[in-house]
Amino acid sequence: MISTSSLDDPWPSTVAPTVHLVQLSQVTIDALAEEDLDLANEQAAVELSPFFVQAASANTWRYRSRQLAAAPGDASWITRVIYDPTRRLAVGQSGYHGPPDDTGMVEVGYAVDAAYRRQGYARAALTALLERARIEPAVTVVRATISPDNLPSRALIAQFGFVEVGEQWDDEDGLETIFELPLD
């Protein structure tokens, strides 16, 4: 059965381990952008670990904070917490970079805390993102951009049928390979 839940609801995965992609408030995202874990945890629906204010994560939250200041309507689409409700742990972050563009493309991103890698969390988060994208009429293609040397991430998206369509230079991440998955 296809879910008709709101974009604001947690997005559950349908593969093990079970995860929910939990949306954060603007206040929480702003606190993470400022690397203020205490304030973020006062505001967040789930307890966040120091992973969420490490350099790479804080850069993501700074970008999302600026994005929401300019386009508050993007809130339902952007980066969320990967939360394992069984273990009651926030294990990473995942989401879209924003709402679908004019061509129907959304870009996914995910990062799992090193302490929880190789346990299926990235796969579960990507599954939830793809399932959510498939029920959104405006989405026709899902994109992932990955560093050429990130072999685990490249292997993961290959299992979902993403195909390489080009390369790009990202000022923050350097050279990235572009992969896309058309949705039928």
Side-chain angles (χ1 to χ4, degrees):
M1 180 173 163
I2 295 178
S3 169
T4 57
S5 65
S6 162
L7 272 172
D8 296 330
D9 293 339
W11 301 339
S13 67
T14 58
V15 298
T18 299
V19 299
H20 292 170
L21 301 187
V22 179
Q23 184 177 354
L24 299 176
S25 69
Q26 171 89 44
V27 173
T28 306
I29 290 172
D30 292 345
L32 291 171
E34 295 295 323
E35 300 178 39
D36 187 340
L37 185 59
D38 292 333
L39 178 58
N41 273 320
E42 287 175 16
Q43 303 296 320
V46 298
E47 185 175 349
L48 304 173
S49 70
F51 165 79
F52 291 89
V53 292
Q54 290 174 354
S57 292
N59 283 339
T60 297
W61 300 121
R62 280 190 282 279
Y63 185 87
R64 298 296 170 233
S65 177
R66 290 189 305 270
Q67 179 181 1
L68 289 178
D74 289 2
S76 294
W77 286 94
I78 63 166
T79 310
R80 294 170 175 238
V81 172
I82 304 171
Y83 183 73
D84 181 334
T86 303
R87 295 173 70 186
R88 296 185 177 155
L89 289 172
V91 298
Q93 58 198 38
S94 182
Y96 305 111
H97 291 205
D101 67 12
D102 292 339
T103 67
M105 187 273 297
V106 291
E107 185 171 345
V108 295
Y110 46 86
V112 175
D113 185 332
Y116 304 109
R117 289 184 186 149
R118 310 294 302 164
Q119 296 178 38
Y121 288 116
R123 176 183 323 286
L126 184 55
T127 298
L129 290 170
L130 292 175
E131 288 172 352
R132 187 71 225 178
R134 283 189 173 96
I135 64 172
E136 292 299 326
V139 179
T140 59
V141 66
V142 178
R143 175 178 284 178
T145 56
I146 301 171
S147 170
D149 62 349
N150 186 342
L151 300 180
S153 190
R154 293 170 68 97
L156 174 63
I157 63 158
Q159 293 172 19
F160 285 88
F162 281 79
V163 294
E164 184 175 336
V165 297
E167 292 182 334
Q168 70 182 18
W169 182 262
D170 182 271
D171 289 336
E172 188 173 316
D173 298 324
L175 182 64
E176 297 176 325
T177 307
I178 303 168
F179 296 90
E180 290 186 348
L181 177 67
L183 300 181
D184 300 316

